[in-house]
Amino acid sequence: MRTIQMVDLKAQYAKIRKEVDSAIQEVIDNAAFINGKAVTDFTASLTAYMGAKHVIPCANGTDALQIAMMALDLQPGDEVITPSFTYVATTEVIALLRLQPVFVEVDPKSFCVDPAAIEKAITPKTKAIVPVHMFGQVADMEAILDIAKRYNLAVIEDTAQAIGADYTFSSGTTKKAGTIGTIGTTSFFPSKNLGCYGDGGAIFTNDDALATRLKMIANHGQSKRYYHDIVGCNSRLDSIQAAVLNCKLPHLDEYAAARRQAADYYDKAFANHPKIKTPYRSPFCNHVFHQYTLILEGVDRDGLNAFLAENGIPSMIYYPVPAHRQKMFDAFGGAAFDLTITDWLTERVISLPMHTELDQEQLNLITNKVLEFINKG
Ligand SMILES: *Cc1c(COP(=O)(O)O)cnc(C)c1O
């Protein structure tokens, strides 16, 4: 049996090796390392795939969030509502720009930000909401857009974990996660659902004026070469990464299907277990399973993690410390936020291997070992 990994990028590469190698070679042959044809092509393909009006590629998913907040012209002290149960990058850029992160609860079922908690946290200083499509499931965007409209707030969707996921409104309209709010952001970090072989990211918007600002900010605030109108940064997707993404984007839906199939296998094996809660699947989105995350009740989680490791099975805690309890937010009053649901989840979640190359034999071993440990405890 192939070694089980949280994410098996080697096995995935083996299937697309010829295309990827020749795409990378072409960039080198043409020496078009920055803003080359591969970048233009990828931007066009991703625009079509997402059904977004504008796609602005950038250097990584953290920059994408930062550029989004800069483009909205938020001022120091403005409040930005964000879940605490997320990867730190979502919340870090808020602090970096000297905005005030306002941490709110997630819905313990979906792991995504709770719209009722957002509305309760709104003050006259609130300017934006940053929902995170956690673990590959789209947040309750219809409710979030409704709140944003009533309070005149911008919505930045952190889509780093959910590229390719569809969200269906009660009207029946379907949109890609990341194209629903004011701005969407994503990451092409290697282990993400659409990963390159280094760092990469992108920003989505349907607003022409915002698209112009986003492009300028990602390129030193430049309107025309050597004319810099606003303060920006240098954030580019490089051509070699774009070449890899050009090979992988056509496979994205098939990759999501493979992840869903692995999730189905897990779901079935753990169904109705009194100590295991399998991931909720919202009826308004098709989960793309960036992670497969269980909630354990009455289980020695560290013991399970160690037992699985002894049996050659990796497992991870995403994330061991919620954002509001990170030291970096001491100066922003992080620990003063009372988030009992977030703390409760943080103590109980565990993520199992999830990627596009899991086979039946591996899934069988993983589920058997998880059940063996839990049932003997
Ligand atoms: C990975 C990730 C990011 C950051 O992406 P990078 O490309 O690593 O900068 C931001 N938000 C979430 C939710 C992520 O999972």
Side-chain angles (χ1 to χ4, degrees):
M1 187 172 56
R2 234 179 31 244
T3 307
I4 300 175
Q5 295 182 322
M6 281 306 284
V7 181
D8 195 341
L9 294 173
K10 278 191 195 171
Q12 190 189 63
Y13 168 62
K15 293 183 180 164
I16 51 171
R17 178 175 208 138
K18 265 174 65 183
E19 305 150 60
V20 171
D21 288 4
S22 74
I24 292 175
Q25 192 58 53
E26 195 182 319
V27 173
I28 300 171
D29 288 342
N30 294 327
F33 300 112
I34 302 290
N35 291 333
K37 181 172 178 296
V39 177
T40 319
D41 288 352
F42 175 64
T43 305
S45 312
L46 189 61
T47 305
Y49 176 85
M50 296 293 290
K53 202 159 172 205
H54 304 279
V55 172
I56 297 103
C58 66
N60 58 69
T62 309
D63 275 9
L65 286 159
Q66 184 188 323
I67 294 163
M69 286 179 208
M70 288 170 77
L72 291 169
D73 206 18
L74 305 182
Q75 299 301 314
D78 283 352
E79 293 177 0
V80 178
I81 297 176
T82 169
S84 175
F85 191 80
T86 179
Y87 179 56
V88 74
T90 317
T91 57
E92 181 184 29
V93 295
I94 300 171
L96 182 73
L97 296 173
R98 291 291 173 233
L99 309 171
Q100 174 63 46
V102 175
F103 299 106
V104 299
E105 291 283 26
V106 290
D107 171 353
K109 232 168 41 180
S110 67
F111 301 114
C112 293
V113 68
D114 177 3
I118 292 174
E119 187 152 11
K120 262 191 236 149
I122 292 173
T123 76
K125 285 186 173 174
T126 309
K127 292 287 155 58
I129 307 167
V130 187
V132 182
H133 302 316
M134 203 61 188
F135 300 147
Q137 179 146 254
V138 187
D140 187 352
M141 289 307 292
E142 191 155 342
I144 293 167
L145 289 187
D146 174 62
I147 294 167
K149 200 168 159 195
R150 282 190 281 118
Y151 294 89
N152 192 26
L153 306 174
V155 176
I156 302 172
E157 299 174 72
D158 183 344
T159 317
Q161 301 191 357
I163 189 139
D166 291 311
Y167 178 88
T168 304
F169 288 82
S170 51
S171 64
T173 309
T174 295
K175 289 185 181 178
K176 288 277 178 216
T179 69
I180 304 165
T182 319
I183 303 176
T185 65
T186 200
S187 162
F188 305 122
F189 185 80
S191 66
K192 303 280 155 118
N193 288 34
L194 179 60
C196 57
Y197 293 171
D199 277 306
I203 310 164
F204 313 111
T205 189
N206 295 317
D207 181 314
D208 297 339
L210 264 179
T212 303
R213 270 183 75 79
L214 289 162
K215 264 180 233 166
M216 282 172 71
I217 291 167
N219 186 23
H220 299 292
Q222 190 164 265
S223 54
K224 158 167 116 173
R225 201 162 198 196
Y226 304 124
Y227 291 79
H228 307 273
D229 302 346
I230 47 179
V231 173
C233 55
N234 171 24
S235 188
R236 292 186 281 245
L237 178 70
D238 76 68
S239 302
I240 288 183
Q241 300 312 329
V244 173
L245 292 165
N246 277 328
C247 299
K248 289 180 76 171
L249 180 59
H251 297 285
L252 182 57
D253 288 345
E254 155 205 327
Y255 287 162
R259 287 171 176 275
R260 249 177 245 128
Q261 212 166 24
D264 289 345
Y265 190 106
Y266 282 139
D267 276 1
K268 217 189 246 172
F270 303 135
N272 304 316
H273 195 289
K275 294 183 176 176
I276 307 174
K277 211 153 145 246
T278 57
Y280 168 74
R281 300 203 199 184
S282 132
F284 48 73
C285 116
N286 68 341
H287 205 313
V288 291
F289 285 101
H290 176 60
Q291 298 297 342
Y292 185 87
T293 303
L294 300 171
I295 302 174
L296 304 176
E297 201 53 277
V299 174
D300 168 13
R301 185 176 63 168
D302 292 343
L304 173 61
N305 174 271
F307 177 78
L308 292 175
E310 280 161 31
N311 286 281
I313 301 166
S315 61
M316 294 290 286
I317 310 304
Y318 295 124
Y319 295 93
V321 182
H324 74 288
R325 293 193 180 280
Q326 298 287 355
K327 276 201 197 116
M328 69 155 77
F329 292 116
D330 283 357
F332 294 82
F337 287 88
D338 181 23
L339 302 175
T340 50
I341 295 170
T342 295
D343 290 336
W344 185 89
L345 277 177
T346 300
E347 283 160 22
R348 286 165 181 78
V349 289
I350 191 163
S351 299
L352 298 179
M354 175 49 77
H355 53 79
T356 58
E357 312 301 319
L358 282 163
D359 62 34
Q360 300 281 311
E361 194 186 1
Q362 292 176 318
L363 289 165
N364 186 44
L365 180 72
I366 299 165
T367 51
N368 282 343
K369 289 295 169 189
V370 169
L371 290 169
E372 183 185 323
F373 181 86
I374 292 178
N375 289 337
K376 87 181 170 212

